[in-house]
Amino acid sequence: MKKLSLLAASAALILSTSANAAYWCEAFIERVVPTSTGITIYSTSAYDGRTLDVMHKDYDDGNFGGIYMRILDAEKYRYKVRLYPVEARGEEDGARCSDGVTDYLRTVYRP
């Protein structure tokens, strides 16, 4: 039994250290611009006011409605949100919020 517990603990440790971390940034939403394929989100850092990367969300994304309402509320009431960008739609690897590349918005939460 001890060997099994040790093996399970070792596997969990290996998986946790090799998994990709989700990147996020705390931001204020400045503008939400509708486009022909989705929305474009412009935001600034909640820490120092720097402009963050432009993010995009497609209309046909499965979680578009909920994300859109959270983004609009954050813009209207000027509260801080946590943005989780990825490099492109369907990817799981996190993207940086300030690397100068347009990112795809996976999800958004209010901290």
Side-chain angles (χ1 to χ4, degrees):
M1 189 66 172
K2 281 187 174 186
K3 283 187 176 183
L4 185 58
S5 296
L6 182 62
L7 181 63
S10 298
L13 179 64
I14 290 169
L15 287 175
S16 68
T17 58
S18 65
N20 291 324
Y23 294 106
W24 52 270
C25 51
E26 288 193 354
F28 291 108
I29 306 301
E30 300 299 328
R31 274 186 308 152
V32 179
V33 180
T35 65
S36 61
T37 58
I39 56 171
T40 302
I41 300 116
Y42 297 89
S43 60
T44 55
S45 170
Y47 299 112
D48 59 12
R50 287 181 301 116
T51 300
L52 298 175
D53 291 348
V54 174
M55 295 189 194
H56 183 76
K57 188 74 170 171
D58 290 339
Y59 291 129
D60 63 350
D61 196 320
N63 65 351
F64 176 80
I67 299 295
Y68 186 53
M69 295 309 296
R70 284 187 220 135
I71 291 288
L72 289 179
D73 284 347
E75 178 189 26
K76 180 177 181 181
Y77 298 112
R78 192 78 181 147
Y79 60 75
K80 181 172 41 176
V81 291
R82 196 171 277 178
L83 303 172
Y84 290 84
V86 290
E87 295 293 331
R89 183 176 175 179
E91 291 190 14
E92 293 296 321
D93 294 341
R96 299 283 181 188
C97 296
S98 57
D99 59 0
V101 177
T102 299
D103 298 315
Y104 190 79
L105 181 62
R106 180 173 47 175
T107 192
V108 61
Y109 293 103
R110 186 174 181 183

